[in-house]
């Protein structure tokens, strides 16, 4: 297939048959194509990391190609469906347009409902026919799939993605999909933190195929591999919660960052935003029913104030103008 695509656009491919020539080609070629028959062995070649490596095969080899792509930092091209992409790679025009928005949601203090907000925004975006992914960034949070009732939904968790490096294949078909949301959840068996390079590779991959990637960060150290364009910090209106939030914000790489306040406490939302020195983009109600839904593994989707509040926050996540209504 690669030879045919090259012939169609007038490009000559160099086929490396002698292993002694492989290192030279690996170093000098503008792009490297590896067939499915060699993909499983490629990880053992001990070659240095490089960009523009592609594994090429048919659909029945897709899962094996995805696994092989991670240690190589390679992309996967499935033929014949990906023939146009393959032609672009061979022609030296592999890079496409911009990806989707990447937004981190981080609690400023414990128990403020940041994970519930993150899941709710993901579900709302999916119900608006947007392609949305939800990434679990908290190794000690129990697994964000529990909030969607998806703990038994088949698909890869972080345990299958820990070796991801570089520009990996589109992993979305291998992941659980719930309520129209692509989910990357922690595996509860290990509880080990995910390496920063794996975060970077997985989030970059999802951003290429989704309109919005929401990352539930948890209260621990923000993974360096989470290159979020925007960050939502969540707090309540209590003095103690705001003090903790201010300390959290002080340790962050600010970037484009904003505050969401959950009602509960004596401090007015505008004063809360001034206290932590962040713009206020939303005020969500405290809804006891949300905790009951989470315990039952039901999607945190409620009509009324909660949904209205989320609908005012989502445009900020997408870089769109917010509705002209008060918070």
């Amino acid at each position: 297939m690669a030879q045919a695509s090259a012939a169609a656009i007038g490009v000559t491919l160099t086929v490396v048959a002698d292993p002694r020539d492989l290192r030279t080609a690996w170093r000098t070629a503008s792009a490297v194509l590896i067939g499915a028959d060699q993909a499983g062995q490629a990880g053992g070649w001990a070659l240095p990391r490089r960009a523009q490596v592609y594994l090429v095969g048919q659909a029945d080899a897709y899962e094996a190609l995805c696994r092989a792509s991670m240690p190589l930092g390679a992309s996967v091209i499935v033929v014949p469906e990906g023939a146009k992409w393959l032609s672009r790679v061979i022609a030296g025009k592999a890079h496409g347009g911009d990806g989707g928005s990447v937004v981190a949601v981080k609690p400023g203090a414990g128990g403020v409902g940041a994970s519930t907000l993150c899941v709710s925004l993901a579900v709302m975006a999916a119900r608006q026919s947007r392609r949305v992914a939800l990434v679990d960034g908290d190794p000690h949070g129990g697994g964000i799939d529990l909030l969607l009732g998806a703990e038994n939904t088949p698909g890869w968790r972080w345990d299958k993605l820990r070796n991801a490096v570089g520009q990996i294949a589109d992993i979305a078909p291998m992941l659980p999909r719930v309520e129209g949301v692509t989910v990357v959840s922690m595996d509860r068996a290990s509880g080990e933190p995910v390496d920063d390079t794996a975060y970077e590779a997985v989030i970059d991959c999802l951003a290429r195929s989704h309109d919005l990637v929401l990352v539930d960060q948890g209260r621990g150290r923000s993974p360096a591999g989470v290159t979020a364009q925007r960050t939502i910090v969540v707090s309540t209106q209590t003095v103690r919660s705001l003090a903790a939030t201010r300390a959290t914000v002080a340790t962050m790489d600010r970037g484009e960052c904003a505050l969401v306040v959950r009602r509960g406490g004596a401090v007015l939302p505008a004063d809360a935003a001034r206290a932590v020195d962040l713009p206020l983009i939303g005020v969500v109600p405290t809804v006891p029913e949300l905790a009951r839904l989470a315990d039952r593994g039901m999607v945190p989707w409620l009509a009324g104030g909660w949904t209205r509040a989320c609908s005012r926050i989502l445009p900020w996540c997408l870089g769109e103008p917010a509705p002209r209504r008060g918070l």
Side-chain angles (χ1 to χ4, degrees):
M1 185 69 185
Q3 291 282 17
S5 297
I9 58 176
V11 174
T12 301
L13 293 183
T14 299
V15 179
V16 178
D18 190 333
R20 291 173 296 182
D21 298 331
L22 179 59
R23 288 190 176 274
T24 299
W26 187 268
R27 187 177 65 254
T28 59
S30 58
V32 176
L33 305 176
I34 302 173
D37 59 329
Q38 297 293 320
Q41 304 173 41
W45 291 344
L47 294 164
R49 184 75 55 187
R50 59 152 293 160
Q52 302 242 45
V53 178
Y54 301 88
L55 306 186
V56 183
Q58 295 183 329
D60 57 357
Y62 184 75
E63 184 169 349
L65 289 171
C66 284
R67 291 182 188 277
S69 75
M70 291 178 195
L72 291 169
S75 296
V76 172
I77 301 177
V78 175
V79 291
E81 295 88 345
K84 185 177 292 186
W85 183 19
L86 179 61
S87 296
R88 288 180 61 82
V89 169
I90 294 170
K93 302 176 181 178
H95 298 293
D98 297 333
S101 297
V102 179
V103 179
V105 181
K106 187 173 185 66
V112 296
S115 295
T116 302
L117 176 64
C118 192
V119 172
S120 296
L121 291 172
V123 172
M124 174 170 283
R127 293 189 178 188
Q128 293 179 1
S129 299
R130 301 182 189 273
R131 296 167 299 171
V132 57
L134 179 65
V135 178
D136 197 342
D138 184 2
H140 307 298
I144 203 165
D145 53 356
L146 291 171
L147 287 178
L148 289 161
E151 62 270 25
N152 294 319
T153 301
W156 289 5
R157 267 68 175 178
W158 270 119
D159 59 327
K160 295 286 199 308
L161 300 168
R162 289 180 182 275
N163 294 323
V165 179
Q167 192 179 51
I168 61 173
D170 180 11
I171 55 174
M174 316 308 299
L175 300 173
R177 187 172 173 83
V178 186
E179 295 286 328
V181 178
T182 303
V183 183
V184 180
S185 182
M186 288 294 169
D187 53 297
R188 283 169 284 279
S190 67
E192 291 295 321
V194 176
D195 190 79
D196 289 341
T197 56
Y199 271 115
E200 185 174 10
V202 168
I203 290 172
D204 174 70
C205 171
L206 294 172
R208 294 198 305 269
S209 57
H210 293 78
D211 302 313
L212 175 64
V213 179
L214 287 158
V215 185
D216 179 35
Q217 283 202 342
R219 291 197 67 198
R221 178 187 71 87
S222 298
V226 178
T227 52
Q229 297 159 321
R230 303 176 184 86
T231 301
I232 294 173
V233 181
V234 186
S235 177
T236 65
Q237 295 170 269
T238 66
V239 172
R240 188 177 183 190
S241 178
L242 289 166
T245 300
R246 186 177 179 87
T248 298
V249 171
T251 66
M252 292 170 51
D253 179 10
R254 294 282 290 270
E256 189 173 353
C257 190
L259 178 71
V260 168
V261 170
R262 180 168 66 82
R263 293 199 180 277
V267 182
L268 295 174
D271 292 335
R274 281 191 288 271
V276 300
D277 191 27
L278 288 177
L280 180 69
I281 60 165
V283 179
V284 297
T286 295
V287 185
E289 180 63 21
L290 287 172
R292 290 192 286 271
L293 290 175
D295 283 342
R296 296 169 187 166
M298 299 174 69
V299 175
W301 181 267
L302 294 171
W306 178 261
T307 299
R308 287 194 298 272
C310 290
S311 70
R312 296 167 191 166
I313 298 166
L314 184 58
W316 184 87
C317 298
L318 294 162
E320 299 174 350
R324 292 190 174 183
R325 293 194 294 270
L327 298 175

